[in-house]
Amino acid sequence: MSEGERTLVIVGVDGSAASRTAVKWAAGDAFRMRLPLRIVHAVDPSTGQIGKNANPGVADALLRRGQRILLEAEAFVRERCPAVEVTAQEAEGAPAPALRELAKGATEIVIGRCGLGGFNDLLPGSVSVDLAGQATCPVVVVSGEPRAVYEEVVVGVNTSSVCEPALAYAFEQARLRGATLRAVHALAPGAAHDMDEVHDRLKALRKKYAQVTVIEDVRSEQPVDALADASESADLLVVGSHGLGTVGSRLFSSVSRGVLFQARCPVAAVHSWQPPASSGSWISRPGPRRGPAWWCGVALA
């Protein structure tokens, strides 16, 4: 499927608090982009719990649990965000490969940061790192902690071409959210800043997204520290991903991996990005700031 044909948002669920927050985030993005939402739960047959040699009782229990997780997530979206078209899917396989395959037909994938894996979810081989390093669409990683709404999107910008899709995605997210975009360019103290090239990368997008207020934030500190600090008062932090194929997660840049671990807000790792046709002229601007209990225009309490 080509970039321009990507027409849905996918969210991976496992029943954890982080995955429930991921469902809220994914439904909100689907609403803003006017795209359908697909909720996916992956069951891995390699665990020995499902397959030819499985204990029927264990296998049935695992399948029932997955179905319950999907039903609860789907019902939540239908109740709280009825304008979003939502479907549920049980996928066979380990979560990262299963979601990575589905990513080929998605506008973006959303997952919980810690989920059932805890700290290990940020180590090599984890779902978060594997997807962020290998998926061909943007991967948004969220945690389960409630946050205030800051109406700001942060994006890391440098002189590498890797950041170009991330910049395009960040501008689009800022537009859809009616948010300010903070473009952070950070280099270690003493390193030279090529600001002309940074300005050039922003120039065309600033012209295209004239309605987005852009703050150019130059910092003389380590990039991970600068981006983590900026994420404190942001709704979303966007970074570029090299997307290096089957070894992508092992070669995932130290900056992107560090940001996944240290960021205080959801993180989008972007390897490639093409705005879906359905969101071309759709601009969702928030009304009066209502705080974290509001989402999709309805109260979450």
Side-chain angles (χ1 to χ4, degrees):
M1 185 173 291
S2 68
E3 296 284 340
E5 294 174 318
R6 289 177 169 166
T7 56
L8 78 163
V9 174
I10 291 175
V11 58
V13 296
D14 63 4
S16 66
S19 79
R20 288 191 289 272
T21 303
V23 170
K24 298 177 187 179
W25 183 278
D29 265 8
F31 175 76
R32 282 182 287 271
M33 291 188 281
R34 304 178 81 177
L35 293 176
L37 173 66
R38 181 179 299 167
I39 304 170
V40 177
H41 176 71
V43 179
D44 187 359
S46 69
T47 62
Q49 294 176 310
I50 292 182
K52 294 181 180 178
N53 301 318
N55 180 308
V58 174
D60 289 346
L62 194 60
L63 286 171
R64 286 196 302 272
R65 178 181 179 274
Q67 291 165 359
R68 184 177 68 253
I69 289 170
L70 288 173
L71 286 172
E72 289 176 354
E74 184 177 0
F76 182 84
V77 174
R78 291 189 186 280
E79 178 185 356
R80 302 302 180 95
C81 204
V84 172
E85 176 188 341
V86 58
T87 56
Q89 176 181 346
E90 188 90 56
E92 183 176 302
L99 290 170
R100 189 167 62 245
E101 182 64 26
L102 291 170
K104 296 175 182 178
T107 297
E108 73 178 22
I109 284 186
V110 185
I111 56 174
R113 183 169 67 184
C114 292
L116 299 178
F119 174 78
N120 290 332
D121 199 47
L122 294 174
L123 298 177
S126 72
V127 176
S128 297
V129 173
D130 281 0
L131 278 177
Q134 298 182 40
T136 55
C137 70
V139 177
V140 183
V141 183
V142 305
S143 64
E145 295 84 6
R147 286 177 51 83
V149 176
Y150 295 97
E151 295 182 359
E152 181 168 292
V153 173
V154 172
V155 61
V157 58
N158 56 32
T159 57
S160 167
S161 61
V162 171
C163 77
E164 291 180 355
L167 278 173
Y169 177 85
F171 267 92
E172 181 71 0
Q173 282 288 323
R175 180 184 77 88
L176 291 170
R177 295 168 181 273
T180 296
L181 178 64
R182 181 178 297 274
V184 176
H185 178 57
L187 286 177
H193 290 255
D194 187 349
M195 292 310 301
D196 288 340
E197 189 164 351
V198 171
H199 287 312
D200 288 344
R201 292 200 183 281
L202 292 170
K203 185 176 180 180
L205 287 167
R206 293 184 79 153
K207 183 177 180 180
K208 178 179 179 181
Y209 292 92
Q211 70 272 54
V212 174
T213 298
V214 180
I215 299 172
E216 294 188 37
D217 189 347
V218 180
R219 305 191 182 197
S220 184
E221 60 181 311
Q222 295 295 336
V224 172
D225 295 335
L227 292 170
D229 288 345
S231 73
E232 183 70 44
S233 57
D235 299 320
L236 175 67
L237 171 58
V238 184
V239 293
S241 167
H242 291 281
L244 299 174
T246 58
V247 296
S249 61
R250 283 175 286 174
L251 299 179
F252 197 36
S253 79
S254 59
V255 171
S256 299
R257 190 192 300 271
V259 165
L260 277 178
F261 182 70
Q262 295 188 32
R264 283 76 151 181
C265 70
V267 177
V270 182
H271 167 55
S272 61
W273 166 248
Q274 180 72 26
S278 60
S279 71
S281 60
W282 173 254
I283 301 177
S284 176
R285 295 217 174 265
R289 196 174 294 191
R290 304 181 189 271
W294 284 80
W295 161 70
C296 269
V298 295
L300 290 181

